[in-house]
Amino acid sequence: MKFSTRSTPLRRLPLRPLLTPLLAALLLAGCAAVGPDYHGAPDAAPKASQAQAFVRQPDAGVGRASAPAQWWRTLDDAQLNALIDAALAHNPDVHAAQARMRQSRAQLRQQQANEMPTSSATVAALRTNTPESSFTNSGPMTLYTADFDASWELDLFGGKRRAVEAASAQAEAVDADLADTQVSLAAEVAQAYVGLRDQQQRLRLAQSSAQLQQRMLDLTEQRRAAGTAADVDVERLTTQVQTTRATLVPLDEQISESLDRLAVLTGREPGELDQTLAPVGNLPTLPATVEVGDPATLLRRRPDIRAAERRLASANAEIGEHTADLFPKVSLFGTLGFSADEPGHLLRKSNFSWVGVPYLQWNVLDFGRTRGAIHAAEAARDEAEAKYAHTVLQALQDANGALSRYGHQREHLDRLRQVQVSAQRAADLTRQRYRAGTTTLIDLLDTQRTEFAAQQDVVAGEAELLDDFVSLQKSLGLGWQERGASGQPPMTNGRDSG
């Protein structure tokens, strides 16, 4: 009996018995997905959401208008603007956050693709040799095949839709993480820059004071040579000069550290900014009024709050993803193929075959594994909700604390400036009296030390106020870039999502 490699077409089946369950399955697939629907995060701070101002908002120096996103431009310092722009473009932490954002979006596209059918195509040439029998001929045989397979798991209970929902919310959370990285980086660069200018200003003051004291020492040594000054006066002035010069070394070291820190923050190697920033510059100028908005704006704007809310939405969707595993899964499988013993006969109609198989899979007896996964997902959702509430309350604490520090530092700086004016007047009067011979060197040295300390305190106070200003902007969630600057889409407001 001769063996034939030509396939026999399958008997045609009636279409209605096949289409009826398929249409019913497609109708079911359009129904709502199992699991809890997400209706937004709970109101973790109801009083703040309705408040017109922050609890610790100072009475002066702070406005309620919407704060600018690029707050550093209000300081009117071109070098600071350039440094922050460079950091947002070249800092490795930003690049890592952008990579995580691309990764999360790729995972979302992967989950979306899981909703679609899977297909494959194969072409093969089979060469075989079988022993002679009553059913086959002896000798080698060749069979050529070409097949196209496709399968599709119908998302009847929304498990795949919930997976897409979870991945979408997670991708938005990672987008918010990138914005949070930008907020922190802008503040860190500004604080490092303020620290550098503060150190440079204090170094310049110390150098000027040391030069003035050296001139007094030279004059006193001349007077001692003429017999009008005592040795003790020379020693006292020498001690003061050396003490002042001793403050120059640590300030020089701090300046080098600040230059290197700024270089690394902007994606450069240590030392690359020395030529640009080593010349002494003034501290940035604070605006007369700092706009802070209201608490409700803060809760919508801070990236860490948006990230926490999106992770809560993702955890909620995962409950439905696991709940769908309690129900049966219906899949459709089909294959189309051609087979022949000659390549030229492969695509003949008589060599065509097809198979269509709907099949059901239901893991009825899993000994509680699925329900255990559901309970774990519910617990993860509760944890995400608690973390969201913590993030909201922490954000309000940060903002109110920053406002309080900023207001008190403004008052403190005003008093330091009054002390400086008084110390300068006292020093001027004492110098006049010393030159007239009506006061002692000890009195002159005391007033000069007080004057120098008051000048240093004012510079340090101005730098601290600028540092508090930067911390305030960070606590308000300012500094992240819109779509045009970084390529990221607008952030989702969790309270408006449903």
Side-chain angles (χ1 to χ4, degrees):
M1 181 176 179
K2 186 175 181 180
F3 176 76
S4 175
T5 58
R6 178 176 296 178
S7 62
T8 302
L10 297 177
R11 181 171 59 89
R12 294 184 179 272
L13 299 177
L15 291 178
R16 182 174 296 178
L18 291 175
L19 292 178
T20 300
L22 176 59
L23 291 175
L26 291 175
L27 289 174
L28 285 172
C31 298
V34 296
D37 292 329
Y38 184 67
H39 300 291
D43 195 349
K47 292 182 180 179
S49 300
Q50 304 299 324
Q52 299 298 316
F54 292 92
V55 176
R56 306 300 180 192
Q57 186 164 315
D59 297 330
V62 175
R64 297 182 182 179
S66 179
Q70 295 187 346
W71 51 265
W72 53 89
R73 301 195 184 279
T74 64
L75 298 177
D76 195 25
D77 192 307
Q79 284 187 322
L80 175 60
N81 296 340
L83 287 171
I84 293 181
D85 290 344
L88 293 175
H90 304 297
N91 184 272
D93 289 341
V94 172
H95 292 168
Q98 290 170 339
R100 288 191 294 269
M101 180 185 68
R102 294 194 301 270
Q103 181 183 7
S104 68
R105 291 179 178 176
Q107 291 170 345
L108 171 59
R109 290 191 292 270
Q110 183 179 2
Q111 286 292 351
Q112 292 170 334
N114 288 339
E115 293 185 296
M116 307 303 294
T118 59
S119 60
S120 63
T122 59
V123 177
L126 176 65
R127 179 78 171 172
T128 182
N129 186 19
T130 59
E132 184 177 1
S133 67
S134 58
F135 300 101
T136 62
N137 293 330
S138 61
M141 294 182 297
T142 302
L143 179 65
Y144 299 93
T145 63
D147 300 294
F148 177 80
D149 301 326
S151 63
W152 184 23
E153 180 184 325
L154 302 180
D155 192 22
L156 299 182
F157 300 98
K160 292 183 180 294
R161 276 173 284 162
R162 291 300 193 193
V164 171
E165 182 183 341
S168 177
Q170 181 64 26
E172 290 171 341
V174 176
D175 284 350
D177 289 340
L178 170 58
D180 196 42
T181 300
Q182 293 172 331
V183 168
S184 299
L185 179 61
E188 190 173 359
V189 172
Q191 288 173 334
Y193 181 78
V194 169
L196 172 66
R197 294 313 187 197
D198 169 43
Q199 293 150 10
Q200 289 177 334
Q201 289 291 327
R202 288 189 287 123
L203 178 63
R204 182 171 63 180
L205 281 174
Q207 290 172 338
S208 299
S209 180
Q211 291 172 0
L212 176 61
Q213 292 165 5
Q214 183 63 51
R215 287 197 296 270
M216 288 187 60
L217 175 59
D218 295 340
L219 179 60
T220 305
E221 287 177 339
Q222 293 174 8
R223 293 177 61 192
R224 183 183 61 176
T228 59
D231 291 341
V232 66
D233 294 335
V234 174
E235 292 303 324
R236 283 170 178 164
L237 278 172
T238 301
T239 300
Q240 185 165 356
V241 170
Q242 296 301 327
T243 301
T244 303
R245 286 178 175 171
T247 64
L248 304 181
V249 177
L251 284 172
D252 231 359
E253 178 185 355
Q254 292 170 16
I255 289 172
S256 298
E257 291 177 355
S258 295
L259 288 170
D260 290 345
R261 182 184 177 196
L262 284 168
V264 172
L265 286 173
T266 55
R268 299 177 173 92
E269 297 181 22
E272 288 193 44
L273 290 177
D274 288 6
Q275 186 174 0
T276 303
L277 298 178
V280 179
N282 295 323
L283 287 166
T285 304
L286 276 173
T289 302
V290 179
E291 304 297 343
V292 297
D294 54 45
T297 303
L298 163 72
L299 298 179
R300 291 192 301 268
R301 183 171 52 203
R302 273 192 53 142
D304 57 341
I305 294 179
R306 295 199 307 275
E309 185 277 329
R310 290 288 80 201
R311 288 190 168 92
L312 172 58
S314 179
N316 187 82
E318 288 178 359
I319 299 175
E321 182 181 357
H322 291 292
T323 302
D325 293 335
L326 291 173
F327 301 94
K329 292 179 172 59
V330 177
S331 301
L332 303 177
F333 174 78
T335 180
L336 305 175
F338 293 88
S339 59
D341 53 3
E342 294 290 340
H345 301 164
L346 185 63
L347 299 181
R348 287 182 178 179
K349 183 178 180 181
S350 58
N351 292 333
F352 172 69
S353 63
W354 62 268
V355 175
V357 182
Y359 63 93
L360 180 145
Q361 180 183 4
W362 194 356
N363 191 12
V364 180
L365 194 62
D366 70 347
F367 302 98
R369 294 183 182 89
T370 300
R371 293 198 178 276
I374 294 172
H375 295 327
E378 290 172 341
R381 187 269 317 277
D382 294 343
E383 180 186 6
E385 186 174 306
K387 287 183 176 179
Y388 170 79
H390 172 80
T391 303
V392 169
L393 296 176
Q394 186 65 51
L396 290 171
Q397 179 185 349
D398 290 347
N400 281 287
L403 281 166
S404 178
R405 288 191 300 273
Y406 183 77
H408 286 98
Q409 183 60 25
R410 276 175 57 93
E411 297 177 5
H412 181 57
L413 181 58
D414 287 340
R415 287 174 171 78
L416 289 176
R417 286 169 175 163
Q418 293 172 9
V419 171
Q420 180 188 16
V421 171
S422 178
Q424 186 174 356
R425 289 175 181 170
D428 290 340
L429 291 173
T430 306
R431 276 191 285 267
Q432 292 174 9
R433 294 178 63 190
Y434 180 74
R435 284 193 292 267
T438 58
T439 190
T440 66
L441 179 63
I442 295 177
D443 293 334
L444 177 61
L445 295 178
D446 287 340
T447 56
Q448 286 182 337
R449 278 194 296 266
T450 302
E451 180 187 25
F452 174 66
Q455 291 173 340
Q456 294 275 26
D457 288 344
V458 167
V459 172
E462 290 173 344
E464 187 173 351
L465 182 60
L466 279 165
D467 194 74
D468 290 339
F469 169 82
V470 174
S471 297
L472 175 58
Q473 304 308 310
K474 180 182 178 182
S475 72
L476 296 175
L478 297 169
W480 56 276
Q481 304 297 289
E482 299 286 354
R483 184 183 183 91
S486 67
Q488 71 183 66
M491 294 291 105
T492 301
N493 177 8
R495 294 183 181 273
D496 297 334
S497 60

